[in-house]
C-alpha cells in the first residue's frame, strides 16, 4: 500500500528499481500499454540512483522533511504503477479481458497520477543533477502525451472472449474464436494453461462485488474450452480433458473425466488428491502453490483455519479404479521430496571437529596445522564451507587473527575468506565481530595475509549494510595503503574492496581524506596501464562526491580524461565521460570546459555519442550539450569585447580650428 515501507525517497527508488529488475513478461490484451508504462518507469533509473546516493549522506532534519513532502506524491504514484504492472504480469488473462473497462480506468488513473506528480516537480528541493533532471522531464512529457489520448485494446479480442463467456456465439464459428483466443492470450502450452487457471482463481478470489462461485465457474468453463481446443490441436501435449481412447477397431472413442476427479484449480485429472481444512479436495502441487500468500479455499472462499493437507486415499483409489476400467494408465505421483542431506558425511564432520579441537590447543604448531587444513577444506567446495561454519569454526578462526605467529594468522584469515564465499557465512562472520580483527591483519600481517584480508573485506562488502560496518572500522585507510604499496595482487584486491565500499556515500569522504584520489590519478596516468579499469571505476564513483570532485579537479585530470574518451576501452571511455560530466558542473566548470576545449574533446565525444555503451552515449550527449553552450557563450563574450573595444577608440577631429594653432608657427624663429 502507498505510504508503507520507509521514506518517500526509499519508496520511489524501490519502485523504479523493481520495474527495472526484469522478469516483466506481459502476455495479455494490454501488452502494448504495459510495456509503455514499464519503459517510462525504467527511464527514471538514474533518478532512483541519485535518490539512493542522497539518502546515504549526512541527515539534515529540515531538508529531509522537505524531501519527504516533495517526493511523497511521486512515491505513491510509482507504487500504484508498480501494482498495475504486477496485475498485468500475474493476473488472469481471461479475467483482465472481461474487466476491460475497469483495467483501462486503472491505466488512465495511474498515468494521470504520475503526470501530476511530475508536474512542477520541486527540483530545487532535491540534489538532482542536470542530466537526471532532463531525463525526468522527458518522462513527464511522454506521460503528458499519454494522458491526452486513450490507447484501447483490441475490440475483436474483447468480443471473442465475451461471446464465449456468455455463450452467445455462432456454433459454427467456435473453432475460429478458440484459435484466435489461444494465440492472442498466449495459452498454447500446458504450463501456460495451468498458470492461467491458478491466476484465474486468485483474481476472482480477490475481486469484490460478484458471486465468486458463479464467476469462477463460467470463466473456468471458458478456460476448459480453450484447453480442450489446444490439446486437440497439439497431440504431443497429451490428451485433453475429454480423453480420447482407441476402441478394438482402432477408432477413437471419447472418455470424459468425471468432474470430481479433476482438480478445481488445474482442471486436470488429479494425481495426488489432498483434502484442505474446508473439506475440499485439490491436486497437492496446485494447492501448495495457492497457499503461498493465501489463507482462503479457492473454491468456497472460506478462510482456512490451518494449512494442513491430508491425502484423500479414497478418491485416489477411485481414480486408479476408473483409470483401469477405462484403459488409462493411472497418473503417477511425484515422489516425495527427500529429507535434506547433511552438508558432509559423518567421517568428514568428525575430521572437521578434530581440526577445531586443534585450533583450541596451546601448541602453536597444532594451531597452525589445523588452520592450514581448514583453509584448504573451505576452498575445496560449498559443502565444506557450510559444514565448517556449522561446526563453530568462525569464532575460533577469529581468535587466531591476533596470533603472533604470522603464518597461523595468514591461514586463519584465508580460511575466513574461503568461508565468506558462502552467502550464509557472511552474516555469521559479521555478527561475530570479525571486521576489526580482519582490519588488524590488513594493517599488520604478512603481505599474503594483508592481501587475503583485503579480499575478505571485498567479499563481505557485497552486502550493502556491511559496507557501513566495514567503513566505520578504519578499513579504508588501510586499504589505501595496500593499494599504494602492495603486490600486484594485493593492489587488485584493495581496489576491488575500495570500489565496493565507496558505493556507500558515507565511505567516499573517508576514502578521499585517506588520499585515494592522488593514488588513483597515478594509476590512471601509469604508462603500463596496470589496474586502469579499477582506477577509472573508482574515479567515476568518487567524482559524484563534492570533496572527490574538488580533489580530482586539483590533479589536472582533463588531458588524460579526454585521451581516455578517445582511445580507452568501452567501460573506461564511459567512466571518463562520467568524471568529465561531474567536473563540468559546479564552481569550476568553466575552467574544466575551457581546458577540455583546448584538448580537443569535441571529436572523441561525438564518436562516443555514436558508438559508445548506452551509459557512455548518454554521458557524451550531455557533455556535448554543455560544451556547445560553453562555446556559444565564449563566442558571444568575444563579440561583446570586440564591440566594446571598437566603441572605446577615440575618433580623430575632422578639422583643426584656426584658434587652436599656436602663434609660434606663424613666424618661425631664425
Amino acid at each position: 500500500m502507498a505510504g508503507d515501507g520507509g521514506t518517500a525517497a526509499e519508496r520511489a527508488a524501490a519502485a523504479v528499481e523493481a520495474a527495472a529488475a526484469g522478469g516483466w513478461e506481459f502476455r495479455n490484451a494490454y501488452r502494448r500499454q504495459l510495456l509503455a508504462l514499464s519503459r517510462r518507469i525504467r527511464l527514471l533509473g538514474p533518478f532512483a540512483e541519485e535518490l539512493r546516493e542522497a539518502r546515504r549522506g549526512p541527515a539534515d532534519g529540515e531538508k529531509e522533511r522537505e524531501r519527504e513532502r516533495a517526493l511523497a506524491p511521486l512515491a505513491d504514484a510509482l507504487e500504484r504503477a508498480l501494482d498495475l504492472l504486477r496485475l498485468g504480469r500475474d493476473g488472469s488473462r481471461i479475467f483482465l479481458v472481461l474487466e476491460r473497462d475497469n483495467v483501462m480506468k486503472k491505466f488512465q488513473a495511474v498515468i494521470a497520477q504520475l503526470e501530476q506528480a511530475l508536474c512542477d516537480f520541486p527540483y530545487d528541493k532535491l540534489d538532482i543533477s542536470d542530466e537526471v533532471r532532463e531525463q525526468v522531464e522527458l518522462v513527464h512529457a511522454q506521460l503528458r502525451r499519454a494522458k491526452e489520448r486513450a490507447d484501447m485494446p483490441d475490440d475483436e479480442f474483447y468480443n471473442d472472449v465475451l461471446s464465449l463467456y456468455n455463450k452467445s456465439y455462432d456454433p459454427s464459428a467456435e473453432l475460429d474464436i478458440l484459435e484466435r483466443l489461444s494465440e492472442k492470450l498466449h495459452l498454447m502450452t500446458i504450463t501456460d494453461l495451468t498458470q492461467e487457471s491458478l491466476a484465474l482463481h486468485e483474481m476472482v478470489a480477490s475481486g469484490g462485488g460478484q458471486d465468486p462461485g458463479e464467476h469462477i465457474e463460467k470463466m473456468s468453463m471458458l478456460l476448459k474450452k480453450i484447453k480442450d481446443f489446444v490439446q486437440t490441436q497439439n497431440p504431443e501435449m497429451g490428451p485433453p480433458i475429454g480423453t480420447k481412447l482407441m476402441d478394438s477397431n482402432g477408432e477413437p472413442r471419447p472418455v470424459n473425466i468425471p468432474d470430481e476427479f479433476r482438480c478445481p484449480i488445474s482442471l486436470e485429472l488429479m494425481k495426488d488428491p489432498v483434502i484442505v481444512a474446508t473439506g475440499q479436495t485439490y491436486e497437492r502441487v496446485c494447492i501448495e502453490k495457492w497457499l503461498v500468500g493465501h489463507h482462503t479455499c479457492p473454491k468456497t472462499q472460506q478462510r482456512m483455519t490451518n494449512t494442513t493437507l491430508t491425502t484423500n486415499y479414497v478418491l485416489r483409489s477411485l481414480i486408479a479404479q476408473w483409470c483401469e476400467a477405462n484403459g488409462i494408465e493411472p497418473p503417477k505421483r511425484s515422489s516425495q521430496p527427500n529429507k535434506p542431506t547433511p552438508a558432509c558425511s559423518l567421517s568428514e564432520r568428525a575430521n572437521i571437529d578434530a581440526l577445531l579441537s586443534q585450533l583450541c590447543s596451546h601448541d602453536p604448531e597444532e594451531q597452525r596445522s589445523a588452520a592450514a587444513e581448514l583453509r584448504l577444506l573451505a576452498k575445496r567446495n560449498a559443502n565444506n564451507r557450510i559444514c565448517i561454519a556449522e561446526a563453530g569454526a568462525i569464532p575460533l578462526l577469529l581468535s587466531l587473527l591476533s596470533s603472533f605467529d604470522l603464518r597461523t594468522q595468514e591461514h586463519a584469515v584465508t580460511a575466513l575468506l574461503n568461508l565468506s564465499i558462502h552467502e550464509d557465512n557472511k552474516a555469521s562472520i559479521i555478527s561475530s565481530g570479525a571486521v576489526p580483527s580482519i582490519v588488524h591483519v590488513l594493517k599488520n600481517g604478512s603481505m599474503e595475509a594483508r592481501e587475503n584480508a583485503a579480499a575478505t573485506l571485498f567479499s563481505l562488502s557485497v552486502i550493502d549494510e556491511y559496507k557501513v560496518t566495514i567503513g566505520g572500522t578504519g578499513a579504508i585507510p588501510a586499504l589505501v595503503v595496500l593499494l599504494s604499496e602492495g603486490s600486484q595482487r594485493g593492489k587488485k584486491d584493495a581496489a576491488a574492496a575500495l570500489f565496493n565500499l565507496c558505493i556507500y556515500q558515507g565511505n567516499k569522504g573517508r576514502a578521499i581524506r585517506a588520499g585515494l584520489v592522488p593514488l588513483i590519478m597515478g594509476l590512471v596516468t601509469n604508462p603500463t596501464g596496470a589496474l586502469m579499469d579499477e582506477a577509472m571505476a573508482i574515479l567515476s564513483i568518487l567524482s559524484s562526491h563534492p570533496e572527490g570532485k574538488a580533489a580530482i579537479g586539483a590533479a589536472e585530470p582533463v588531458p588524460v580524461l579526454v585521451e581516455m574518451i578517445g582511445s580507452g576501452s568501452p567501460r573506461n571511455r564511459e567512466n571518463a565521460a562520467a568524471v568529465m560530466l561531474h567536473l563540468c558542473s559546479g564552481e569550476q566548470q568553466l575552467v574544466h570546459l575551457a581546458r577540455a576545449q583546448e584538448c580537443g574533446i569535441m571529436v572523441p565525444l561525438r564518436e562516443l555519442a555514436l558508438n559508445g555503451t548506452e551509459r557512455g552515449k548518454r554521458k557524451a550527449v550531455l557533455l556535448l550539450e554543455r560544451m556547445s553552450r560553453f562555446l556559444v557563450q565564449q563566442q558571444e563574450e568575444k563579440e561583446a569585447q570586440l564591440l566594446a573595444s571598437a566603441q572605446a577608440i577615440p575618433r580623430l577631429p575632422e578639422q583643426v580650428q584656426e584658434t587652436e594653432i599656436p602663434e609660434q608657427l606663424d613666424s618661425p624663429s631664425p
Side-chain angles (χ1 to χ4, degrees):
M1 181 183 293
D4 293 343
T7 66
E10 290 168 342
R11 289 164 45 219
V16 173
E17 289 163 0
W24 295 96
E25 187 177 13
F26 306 113
R27 304 173 71 184
N28 55 41
Y30 309 95
R31 185 172 185 274
R32 186 175 65 252
Q33 294 88 340
L34 289 163
L35 286 173
L37 179 61
S38 172
R39 184 174 62 253
R40 287 163 187 149
I41 296 175
R42 291 201 308 272
L43 284 173
L44 296 174
F47 175 69
E49 291 176 12
E50 292 205 357
L51 288 181
R52 290 282 194 208
E53 287 294 319
R55 281 289 301 162
R56 294 185 179 118
D60 180 336
E62 183 56 36
K63 190 174 181 181
E64 280 298 307
R65 284 189 289 274
E66 284 187 1
R67 283 167 53 84
E68 185 72 12
R69 287 192 295 271
L71 288 169
L74 180 60
D76 292 342
L78 286 169
E79 287 177 336
R80 191 173 176 187
L82 194 62
D83 288 341
L84 184 55
L85 292 178
R86 291 191 182 110
L87 176 68
R89 179 191 63 187
D90 303 329
S92 159
R93 301 165 202 181
I94 294 173
F95 187 96
L96 287 172
V97 174
L98 290 170
E99 292 292 314
R100 180 182 68 170
D101 293 341
N102 288 334
V103 172
M104 289 311 300
K105 285 178 183 175
K106 287 179 186 289
F107 269 107
Q108 290 158 6
V110 163
I111 289 170
Q113 189 174 352
L114 281 169
E115 193 275 335
Q116 184 60 45
L118 292 179
C119 188
D120 298 324
F121 192 72
Y123 298 99
D124 55 323
K125 295 182 181 177
L126 303 169
D127 189 14
I128 301 297
S129 67
D130 293 344
E131 171 193 4
V132 170
R133 176 172 181 165
E134 290 168 3
Q135 196 136 357
V136 174
E137 288 172 345
L138 170 65
V139 174
H140 181 224
Q142 292 179 355
L143 289 167
R144 190 166 56 245
R145 286 195 297 271
K147 181 182 173 183
E148 293 168 357
R149 61 173 186 267
D151 188 8
M152 296 296 290
D154 187 353
D155 277 337
E156 183 188 44
F157 197 3
Y158 174 72
N159 292 331
D160 281 346
V161 174
L162 201 62
S163 66
L164 283 179
Y165 181 81
N166 293 324
K167 299 182 180 178
S168 58
Y169 56 90
D170 180 359
S172 63
E174 182 180 19
L175 291 180
D176 291 336
I177 294 173
L178 287 169
E179 184 176 8
R180 286 197 299 268
L181 288 181
S182 63
E183 290 176 358
K184 290 183 178 180
L185 290 170
H186 297 275
L187 296 174
M188 306 292 288
T189 67
I190 285 292
T191 302
D192 292 337
L193 292 161
T194 304
Q195 288 176 347
E196 172 62 8
S197 182
L198 284 166
L200 192 61
H201 280 75
E202 180 171 352
M203 294 197 69
V204 174
S206 60
Q210 300 189 55
D211 173 28
E214 179 186 358
H215 209 46
I216 198 167
E217 184 178 350
K218 292 178 77 173
M219 285 194 290
S220 294
M221 291 310 297
L222 195 158
L223 179 59
K224 178 181 177 295
K225 279 182 176 293
I226 296 174
K227 181 181 286 191
D228 286 351
F229 170 81
V230 170
Q231 290 181 307
T232 303
Q233 297 296 312
N234 301 279
E236 68 274 12
M237 290 175 58
I241 290 174
T243 306
K244 292 184 178 179
L245 301 176
M246 308 303 287
D247 60 19
S248 57
N249 297 321
E251 296 295 326
R253 60 183 180 85
V255 176
N256 289 317
I257 300 173
D259 288 344
E260 59 269 24
F261 291 173
R262 293 199 208 110
C263 171
I265 296 175
S266 68
L267 304 179
E268 297 283 356
L269 180 66
M270 285 186 277
K271 302 174 183 177
D272 189 7
V274 292
I275 304 169
V276 298
T278 59
Q280 300 295 322
T281 297
Y282 299 92
E283 174 63 39
R284 182 185 294 275
V285 173
C286 295
I287 193 63
E288 284 177 344
K289 289 180 181 178
W290 170 266
L291 290 174
V292 177
H294 297 87
H295 303 286
T296 57
C297 174
K299 193 168 184 180
T300 66
Q301 301 307 307
Q302 290 176 275
R303 187 172 184 82
M304 291 193 284
T305 55
N306 60 68
T307 56
T308 303
L309 304 179
T310 305
T311 301
N312 191 333
Y313 290 103
V314 174
L315 183 60
R316 196 164 80 185
S317 176
L318 289 171
I319 291 172
Q321 291 173 24
W322 177 84
C323 289
E324 185 178 352
N326 287 278
I328 301 175
E329 185 179 353
K332 295 179 181 178
R333 299 188 303 278
S334 58
S335 58
Q336 294 296 320
N338 297 324
K339 293 181 179 179
T341 55
C344 52
S345 66
L346 292 175
S347 61
E348 289 170 330
R349 179 58 187 262
N351 179 41
I352 289 170
D353 288 341
L355 291 172
L356 298 191
S357 297
Q358 290 179 20
L359 288 183
C360 300
S361 169
H362 295 294
D363 183 350
E365 288 290 337
E366 282 195 11
Q367 286 185 333
R368 186 186 312 120
S369 173
E373 184 66 22
L374 286 169
R375 167 185 179 172
L376 294 175
L377 284 174
K379 183 179 181 180
R380 195 165 297 162
N381 58 54
N383 284 344
N384 284 352
R385 294 178 198 118
I386 297 169
C387 198
I388 292 169
E390 287 178 349
I394 290 173
L396 298 177
L397 289 168
L398 286 179
S399 67
L400 296 181
L401 295 183
S402 57
S403 171
F404 292 109
D405 186 300
L406 294 183
R407 195 69 180 148
T408 300
Q409 188 185 68
E410 177 193 313
H411 290 321
V413 77
T414 310
L416 286 170
L417 165 62
N418 295 334
L419 289 174
S420 73
I421 296 170
H422 190 267
E423 289 301 306
D424 292 343
N425 290 346
K426 286 181 170 64
S428 301
I429 293 170
I430 290 289
S431 63
S432 298
V435 176
S437 299
I438 296 171
V439 173
H440 168 75
V441 177
L442 179 63
K443 293 177 178 178
N444 305 302
S446 65
M447 181 52 70
E448 187 174 348
R450 292 172 68 194
E451 293 168 357
N452 290 336
T456 307
L457 293 177
F458 165 70
S459 175
L460 295 173
S461 65
V462 170
I463 309 297
D464 281 344
E465 61 191 274
Y466 300 161
K467 292 178 174 65
V468 183
T469 305
I470 296 168
T473 58
I476 288 175
L479 287 168
V480 172
V481 171
L482 182 61
L483 181 61
S484 171
E485 64 184 34
S487 64
Q488 190 63 21
R489 176 172 162 254
K491 289 180 177 181
K492 197 172 185 69
D493 289 332
L498 284 165
F499 175 81
N500 255 10
L501 291 171
C502 287
I503 292 173
Y504 169 58
Q505 184 78 2
N507 285 337
K508 292 178 184 176
R510 293 186 176 108
I512 294 158
R513 290 187 288 275
L516 181 57
V517 170
L519 194 56
I520 291 295
M521 288 303 300
L523 291 173
V524 169
T525 55
N526 188 339
T528 66
L531 297 177
M532 178 68 75
D533 295 347
E534 292 85 349
M536 286 305 304
I538 293 172
L539 202 65
S540 173
I541 208 167
L542 291 181
S543 66
S544 65
H545 190 280
E547 291 180 46
K549 184 161 66 173
I552 295 168
E556 286 291 323
V558 176
V560 70
L561 292 175
V562 172
E563 182 182 353
M564 187 73 67
I565 291 171
S567 60
S569 68
R571 182 65 64 187
N572 288 342
R573 293 177 73 198
E574 75 172 45
N575 281 328
V579 176
M580 276 299 306
L581 194 59
H582 283 296
L583 292 175
C584 293
S585 62
E587 295 177 359
Q588 298 297 312
Q589 61 176 306
L590 295 180
V591 175
H592 297 306
L593 286 166
R595 189 76 176 101
Q597 182 193 1
E598 292 172 8
C599 296
I601 196 173
M602 297 299 282
V603 172
L605 268 186
R606 291 192 185 100
E607 202 280 327
L608 180 60
L610 290 173
N611 301 314
T613 62
E614 286 305 312
R615 177 173 174 250
K617 288 177 181 177
R618 195 168 69 245
K619 303 292 184 187
V621 167
L622 290 167
L623 262 176
L624 283 169
E625 290 174 357
R626 293 193 184 182
M627 285 299 304
S628 298
R629 287 198 297 267
F630 170 73
L631 293 174
V632 169
Q633 183 183 349
Q634 292 288 94
Q635 185 63 31
E636 289 174 350
E637 288 178 359
K638 284 182 181 178
E639 291 174 358
Q641 288 174 358
L642 288 172
L643 183 60
S645 299
Q647 291 173 345
I649 296 173
R651 300 183 64 183
L652 294 172
E654 294 183 4
Q655 59 183 11
V656 180
Q657 298 294 328
E658 191 174 331
T659 55
E660 295 175 2
I661 299 175
E663 291 181 2
Q664 290 83 343
L665 294 179
D666 291 340
S667 52
S669 57

